[in-house]
Amino acid sequence: MKPAVLEVMRMNRVCRMVLVTSVGSFILVIFYFQIMRRNPFGMDICCRKGSRSPLQELYNPTQLAPRAGRQQSEQDPKLSNTAILHQIRRDQVTDTCRANSVSSRKRRVLTPNDLKHLVVDEDHEMIYCYVPKVACTNWKRVMMVLTGRGKYSDPMEIPANEAHVSSNLKTLNQYSIPEINHRLKNYMKFLFVREPFERLVSAYRNKFTQKYNTSFHKRYGTKIVRRQRKNATQEALQKGDDVKFEEFVAYLIDPHTQREEPFNEHWQTVYSLCHPCHIHYDLIGKYETLEEDSNYILQLAGVGNYLKFPTYAKSTRTTDEMTTEFFQNISSLHQMQLFHFSSRDRITCGQKESGFGLSSISSLLWVIIFFN
């Protein structure tokens, strides 16, 4: 009798173990498919070790390798033309920076503090210099997907305010000097640029015409009203929430402004934010061709098949026509002073310095490359 009882007990233990194992496996399968449903490409996005780097794909693309019986020039003409376009942009910047270094006796050495706008993606070996008002919110979202190791799958599911939390992305200034130099040499570096006046109008509309931006109204609006407006009311001096565009422009070109404190990043020049004459950028995207240039970068990173740059909401976008309207009330003198203020960025990007009037604003918006 006793052996029979022991055998029954043993069988019960075996059955329980089989049941627990089966239930555990079932739960793991469900958990796996839940993850895959949320982010079916999480592993592909985060883990690319052993594959070619974006830098290798850019300068020696596998997509352009000749197939049997076909010449190199016959391979993927669209990709070939895109690569040529970016080479032209790189050459323009290099030539202008070289000319600028000859004419200038000053040679500035970058410090880690100069690199706080350069976001690092270790998994895909890329560095992105973000410029406010040049689609940086969406690009930060994309970088969070790329560096999140499966935490995120859809960039647009990331709230805008979360994209700007500094701890969510690692910047180059957080590394040691040897680590910085290694990444600058071996990672693909890119940034996006926008026509300077259009970017200023976009910054003004966002920071001074939206009621929720009370922090900007208090810090900058009150200062602009106090300095630029005659007979300002006490309410305007206290709130700073009704800054006119003409006052904003006058504030920017006032020599006292930059002597007082550095420009806010939303209207600081790209030359000062990203240092294109000190750092060799491999890709320079344009705001005017934002989606095309962005998806080309994602393709180089090896994620282009399942991660696309978010489509921009054009209804709220600052356009060249809108920029023209804003500048209609800006005097020719102030336009020239503002043009001089951004001239280094314009020339660096291939735009020749020349006379500037209201009628020429729209024509300036489609120059090959802009650095502000």
Side-chain angles (χ1 to χ4, degrees):
M1 185 70 181
K2 190 172 183 179
V5 172
L6 291 175
E7 181 65 20
V8 170
M9 292 175 62
R10 187 181 70 80
M11 290 299 296
N12 285 340
R13 283 199 299 269
V14 171
C15 290
R16 284 198 299 269
M17 289 176 63
V18 171
L19 179 63
V20 169
T21 303
S22 300
V23 171
S25 300
F26 182 69
I27 293 174
L28 286 175
V29 169
I30 293 176
F31 183 66
Y32 171 79
F33 280 107
Q34 285 291 325
I35 292 177
M36 291 303 291
R37 185 172 63 85
R38 287 168 47 202
N39 185 6
F41 308 110
M43 291 301 293
D44 290 329
I45 289 178
C46 80
C47 306
R48 63 176 308 281
K49 299 302 181 183
S51 61
R52 287 164 56 84
S53 72
L55 205 60
Q56 292 172 321
E57 284 295 337
L58 175 63
Y59 292 106
N60 185 24
T62 54
Q63 297 97 326
L64 299 181
R67 297 172 186 169
R70 300 179 67 181
Q71 298 297 319
Q72 173 79 29
S73 59
E74 298 176 351
Q75 303 302 313
D76 299 312
K78 185 177 180 180
L79 283 175
S80 179
N81 291 337
T82 302
I84 292 172
L85 173 62
H86 284 284
Q87 181 62 57
I88 292 172
R89 294 178 182 178
R90 285 193 297 272
D91 291 344
Q92 286 180 321
V93 175
T94 300
D95 292 344
T96 307
C97 288
R98 186 181 295 115
N100 183 68
S101 65
V102 172
S103 61
S104 175
R105 296 181 180 180
K106 296 181 180 178
R107 178 63 180 175
R108 182 166 174 266
V109 177
L110 296 182
T111 65
N113 190 53
D114 294 315
L115 307 176
K116 59 186 178 182
H117 273 247
L118 278 72
V119 177
V120 181
D121 175 4
E122 293 287 358
D123 292 315
H124 302 88
E125 298 182 359
M126 298 194 302
I127 297 176
Y128 160 59
C129 184
Y130 71 89
V131 179
K133 309 314 300 176
V134 192
C136 77
T137 300
N138 279 350
W139 253 111
K140 284 183 176 181
R141 285 167 164 154
V142 170
M143 293 296 282
M144 287 176 67
V145 173
L146 292 173
T147 61
R149 295 180 173 269
K151 183 178 180 181
Y152 309 100
S153 60
D154 183 357
M156 295 311 293
E157 289 181 354
I158 302 173
N161 61 328
E162 188 175 341
H164 294 292
V165 175
S166 58
S167 60
N168 285 335
L169 291 167
K170 193 168 185 178
T171 50
L172 196 58
N173 62 311
Q174 299 174 36
Y175 293 83
S176 68
I177 299 298
E179 290 172 334
I180 290 173
N181 290 332
H182 171 77
R183 283 155 183 78
L184 287 175
K185 180 179 179 182
N186 295 286
Y187 287 15
M188 186 179 77
K189 301 165 292 297
F190 66 95
L191 76 160
F192 279 79
V193 297
R194 187 177 188 177
E195 197 282 322
F197 283 8
E198 185 178 293
R199 180 176 170 234
L200 288 180
V201 171
S202 179
Y204 168 77
R205 291 181 64 221
N206 179 244
K207 301 305 177 186
F208 295 108
T209 68
Q210 303 296 326
K211 296 299 182 182
Y212 60 80
N213 266 323
T214 54
S215 61
F216 268 82
H217 300 161
K218 283 287 186 180
R219 180 171 180 180
Y220 296 102
T222 55
K223 188 182 301 182
I224 293 173
V225 170
R226 184 173 65 252
R227 189 180 300 170
Q228 304 299 335
R229 187 180 302 178
K230 295 180 180 180
N231 304 318
T233 65
Q234 282 300 313
E235 182 180 7
L237 289 169
Q238 291 176 1
K239 292 185 177 180
D241 60 353
D242 63 344
V243 172
K244 298 179 176 64
F245 184 66
E246 296 90 329
E247 295 169 335
F248 176 58
V249 170
Y251 164 78
L252 292 178
I253 61 178
D254 185 350
H256 180 71
T257 300
Q258 290 198 66
R259 288 199 299 265
E260 185 179 57
E261 63 178 343
F263 274 164
N264 180 272
E265 63 177 9
H266 290 85
W267 45 84
Q268 180 60 281
T269 62
V270 176
Y271 188 90
S272 299
L273 294 176
C274 296
H275 317 285
C277 287
H278 294 79
I279 297 172
H280 174 77
Y281 285 92
D282 304 289
L283 281 171
I284 302 158
K286 284 176 55 181
Y287 189 75
E288 291 80 2
T289 54
L290 175 63
E291 290 182 35
E292 179 182 348
D293 290 340
S294 296
N295 288 324
Y296 177 60
I297 291 170
L298 294 176
Q299 184 177 4
L300 292 172
V303 298
N305 290 336
Y306 37 79
L307 178 61
K308 301 296 182 183
F309 191 80
T311 302
Y312 205 82
K314 295 184 179 180
S315 59
T316 59
R317 184 172 180 169
T318 299
T319 63
D320 54 343
E321 292 86 359
M322 196 179 297
T323 301
T324 303
E325 291 179 11
F326 271 88
F327 272 89
Q328 285 179 349
N329 296 323
I330 304 299
S331 69
S332 298
L333 175 61
H334 281 185
Q335 287 187 46
M336 287 300 298
Q337 290 175 314
L338 195 60
F339 188 82
H340 178 72
F341 159 73
S342 63
S343 62
R344 174 175 283 186
D345 281 1
R346 292 176 182 273
I347 296 172
T348 300
C349 299
Q351 179 176 342
K352 296 182 179 179
E353 192 165 6
S354 61
F356 187 79
L358 287 173
S359 61
S360 62
I361 291 178
S362 295
S363 64
L364 289 174
L365 302 184
W366 301 97
V367 180
I368 293 179
I369 301 175
F370 290 101
F371 262 92
N372 191 6

